[in-house]
Amino acid sequence: MKFGLLIIGCMACLSGSMLAQSDSTELVGVVSFQNSRNVYVKFRSTERISVGDTLYVIDNGLRTPALVVDHKSSISCVCTPLGDRKLQIDDQVVYVPRVTSPPTPDRIVVPPPEPPPLVGTTPKEAGPNPDELQESAPDRSEQIKGRLSVSYYGTMSDREGYDRQRMRYTGSFRGYHLGESRLSLESYVSYRHTLTSPTGQRSTTDALKVYNLAVGYEAGNRSTLWLGRRYNPNVSNIGAIDGLQFETTFDKVVLGGFAGTRPDHFDYGFNPDLIQYGAFVRHDVHLKHGVMRNTLSLVEQRNASAVDRRFAYFQHTSNPGKKLFVFTSFDLELYTLKDGIPSTAFNLSSVYFSLRYRASRKLSVFTSYDARNNVIYYETYRNFVDQLIEEETRQGFRARINYRPAKYLTIGASAGYRFQKDNPNDSRNLRAYLTHSRIPGIKASAMLSAILLQTAYLDGQVFGLRLNRDLIKGKLSGQVEGRLVRYQYINSELTLNQTIAGASLSWRLNRKTSFNVYYEGIFGAQNNRSNVHLRVIQRF
């Protein structure tokens, strides 16, 4: 009852006025919508993407900086274009993760990017768009998009037991106003089949993943209902929701709520014991240069009848100046369990702030700070509470600058400093790159990059060169790349040196069908390894 009153009170006040994981795999997204100010990109998950990160496009085979992330949900990014490049719907965009932790020898290999899902919300839900915030007559014209893909992943190693082959099948569908009705459907399903592996074939539950499967209904011109598994961009920090979701709009205020369960922590299946429910209120204010959006969510998560977590989530996005963009968010824990006795608490468990300034069409600067505590699920992870209570705040500063001194030339650099509270083991990383999109004579694009990494136990350097060229304009493109990797472990004499060489071909058979092949070879003193990736994509 107290929690219900707290929800109502916070919503009334406002209407009156993220567990991270380091991964080196690139993410591939798809442009789903754009307007005069923003480009919307969909990913399978945006967990590793931060506001202010740069997204790249394949320009003649070369990854060229094209977008900067201004806002994000769990599967969608709202971006501002860099330069004059015009993107089209269904264009692919690549996110290259920053180096945040030292890779081990087995983690140095970067596998080919996997196809992203075409899941998420309708364009009007994807991000702050001033034009769409104005009230207008409902448009119920049918919109249908889908994609099927088949991928093969093969690894051949000179170390016994490391060879493996996998198949991956994915299907996604987005159908809004089916038959020009009030009904909509979203889905994204993936199935992995292991041909050969040291661990054998996965179970069906582990191999089949349903990331999104929901039916929507427009209850009038201002309200929507969704039933099934779906990410809600207004409460994206909690991930997928299995159950019922509802929201309604009153001018500049959006009220909503949900009730259902969380996906299982181990196999991402349905788990009726992981109950969750909550409510949110969002307030949009028109500024001179855009929209300021404030969202407050109150959520309770349970394991059967016991409280697992109770918290408030606040998110703010705005562009107070024509070239200035601000994003901030935080979690406030409202529940604690001490000596087996539950009580109310007010503890920050997540804080993030970022600021991006685009000084001109040639120069942009970004900086951010984040601090996250361990989130405590008192019932789901009851056996680990003693470990989690000893909180460590992961704190970090990041800064990045991009500059275009000439038409086809781009220079960029980023620096990061990460440290832990009451822990002397900090880390530093520096990345710099130079790209030229039209090299005279060879009609190719090139990127030269360098990464320097320093932690408490190793010093690392990675130097790379990538060349791209159209072989048949608009149909076939190729890429070759090479990287030199060196890691020196401080507390031992072990040094890891590897040479990585790769090549790929992308063939666009027609407007809706494409074929990609990628090869990567890793050569070093410890072991040699080859990776092959084949993928066929059919859109409809």
Side-chain angles (χ1 to χ4, degrees):
M1 184 65 182
K2 291 182 180 179
F3 182 60
L5 294 175
L6 182 59
I7 292 178
I8 296 173
C10 292
M11 292 174 61
C13 292
L14 187 58
S15 61
S17 54
M18 297 166 1
L19 297 172
Q21 179 177 347
S22 176
D23 197 329
S24 60
T25 306
E26 296 178 352
L27 300 179
V28 180
V30 175
V31 175
S32 60
F33 178 75
Q34 59 180 320
N35 55 34
S36 59
R37 294 179 56 87
N38 300 111
V39 176
Y40 300 83
V41 181
K42 293 294 178 63
F43 292 88
R44 182 178 65 181
S45 170
T46 62
E47 181 181 0
R48 289 150 45 202
I49 302 176
S50 301
V51 171
D53 280 346
T54 299
L55 305 182
Y56 300 82
V57 296
I58 306 301
D59 190 358
N60 295 324
L62 174 68
R63 291 185 180 89
T64 302
L67 302 170
V68 173
V69 179
D70 294 328
H71 319 280
K72 75 164 191 171
S73 69
S74 59
I75 55 173
S76 180
C77 292
V78 183
C79 309
T80 297
L82 293 173
D84 302 325
R85 183 186 181 95
K86 300 297 183 182
L87 296 175
Q88 304 297 324
I89 302 300
D90 286 336
D91 280 355
Q92 288 191 349
V93 179
V94 177
Y95 166 67
V96 181
R98 60 185 183 272
V99 177
T100 57
S101 62
T104 62
D106 289 336
R107 292 177 54 207
I108 289 180
V109 179
V110 179
E114 297 184 3
L118 297 178
V119 299
T121 61
T122 57
K124 67 180 180 180
E125 296 173 323
N129 181 2
D131 298 330
E132 295 169 349
L133 293 174
Q134 303 294 331
E135 184 173 349
S136 59
D139 178 12
R140 294 200 177 97
S141 58
E142 186 178 66
Q143 304 174 44
I144 292 179
K145 282 193 176 183
R147 190 171 79 165
L148 299 173
S149 70
V150 178
S151 300
Y152 165 82
Y153 302 89
T155 298
M156 289 75 70
S157 174
D158 58 7
R159 301 178 72 178
E160 185 177 355
Y162 278 77
D163 291 357
R164 63 193 65 195
Q165 299 181 54
R166 293 183 296 130
M167 299 294 297
R168 186 173 189 262
Y169 313 90
T170 62
S172 61
F173 178 83
R174 292 181 298 167
Y176 302 113
H177 307 120
L178 299 175
E180 298 187 355
S181 69
R182 297 175 181 267
L183 290 175
S184 298
L185 175 65
E186 294 179 354
S187 69
Y188 175 63
V189 179
S190 172
Y191 182 80
R192 293 178 182 268
H193 174 61
T194 302
L195 301 177
T196 60
S197 172
T199 58
Q201 176 63 44
R202 295 183 175 190
S203 65
T204 302
T205 305
D206 189 36
L208 179 65
K209 301 297 182 187
V210 178
Y211 295 102
N212 190 14
L213 183 58
V215 177
Y217 178 75
E218 292 186 5
N221 296 334
R222 293 176 175 267
S223 303
T224 57
L225 285 165
W226 285 93
L227 179 64
R229 173 170 293 184
R230 184 173 184 266
Y231 291 87
N232 190 320
N234 294 292
V235 286
S236 58
N237 62 311
I238 69 172
I241 300 171
D242 292 342
L244 181 67
Q245 303 179 45
F246 169 80
E247 68 178 56
T248 186
T249 303
F250 301 96
D251 192 17
K252 298 178 181 180
V253 176
V254 178
L255 300 177
F258 65 91
T261 61
R262 292 169 282 161
D264 189 86
H265 298 293
F266 298 100
D267 59 17
Y268 210 68
F270 176 72
N271 190 334
D273 289 332
L274 301 181
I275 300 168
Q276 63 177 353
Y277 51 86
F280 68 87
V281 56
R282 193 186 78 207
H283 187 213
D284 299 310
V285 179
H286 291 273
L287 304 176
K288 182 179 180 180
H289 302 288
V291 173
M292 177 176 67
R293 171 166 292 176
N294 295 296
T295 305
L296 175 64
S297 310
L298 294 173
V299 181
E300 179 159 304
Q301 297 176 329
R302 291 175 171 262
N303 189 345
S305 60
V307 175
D308 225 0
R309 187 185 179 204
R310 182 182 298 157
F311 66 99
Y313 173 74
F314 176 78
Q315 179 173 295
H316 166 90
T317 59
S318 66
N319 49 321
K322 185 178 180 179
K323 301 178 180 180
L324 183 64
F325 301 86
V326 178
F327 174 88
T328 186
S329 67
F330 64 82
D331 284 6
L332 182 66
E333 301 297 326
L334 305 176
Y335 175 85
T336 186
L337 192 64
K338 187 175 182 180
D339 297 329
I341 301 175
S343 62
T344 301
F346 296 93
N347 300 317
L348 283 175
S349 60
S350 176
V351 178
Y352 181 86
F353 175 81
S354 70
L355 184 148
R356 185 174 65 86
Y357 179 64
R358 191 177 181 185
S360 66
R361 297 177 65 179
K362 293 185 175 182
L363 178 65
S364 64
V365 180
F366 167 82
T367 184
S368 69
Y369 169 77
D370 71 81
R372 295 183 299 274
N373 290 351
N374 288 324
V375 174
I376 300 176
Y377 295 94
Y378 286 98
E379 297 299 326
T380 304
Y381 297 118
R382 192 177 185 89
N383 292 336
F384 302 101
V385 169
D386 292 338
Q387 301 175 32
L388 295 175
I389 288 178
E390 196 170 331
E391 297 177 350
E392 290 184 347
T393 301
R394 298 193 308 157
Q395 298 179 338
F397 296 93
R398 292 184 60 219
R400 185 179 62 249
I401 183 170
N402 291 310
Y403 181 61
R404 295 180 59 197
K407 185 175 182 180
Y408 303 117
L409 188 65
T410 303
I411 302 173
S414 64
Y417 176 54
R418 302 276 175 181
F419 61 93
Q420 290 181 313
K421 185 178 180 181
D422 301 325
N423 192 331
N425 296 329
D426 53 8
S427 66
R428 302 171 179 84
N429 64 80
L430 175 66
R431 180 178 183 268
Y433 71 90
L434 173 68
T435 66
H436 197 292
S437 58
R438 293 190 183 181
I439 299 178
I442 63 174
K443 298 180 180 181
S445 303
M447 171 182 281
L448 183 65
S449 62
I451 299 174
L452 305 179
L453 176 66
Q454 184 181 70
T455 72
Y457 58 92
L458 70 75
D459 290 330
Q461 302 91 38
V462 181
F463 302 97
L465 175 63
R466 182 179 294 125
L467 295 174
N468 305 265
R469 181 180 174 179
D470 263 352
L471 304 177
I472 302 177
K473 188 175 181 180
K475 290 290 186 180
L476 182 65
S477 63
Q479 172 183 292
V480 293
E481 65 176 322
R483 281 174 289 167
L484 298 176
V485 180
R486 183 181 185 276
Y487 289 101
Q488 176 65 56
Y489 293 88
I490 296 176
N491 296 324
S492 72
E493 297 181 356
L494 178 62
T495 300
L496 176 66
N497 294 292
Q498 285 188 330
T499 300
I500 302 176
S504 65
L505 287 174
S506 298
W507 185 15
R508 188 174 183 181
L509 303 177
N510 53 52
R511 190 172 65 89
K512 294 185 177 182
T513 307
S514 60
F515 173 75
N516 302 285
V517 56
Y518 176 85
Y519 168 81
E520 183 179 61
I522 301 92
F523 311 97
Q526 286 76 18
N527 69 294
N528 298 324
R529 187 182 308 173
S530 296
N531 296 319
V532 177
H533 174 211
L534 308 175
R535 181 177 63 186
V536 178
I537 300 174
Q538 178 65 49
R539 298 178 177 87
F540 59 90

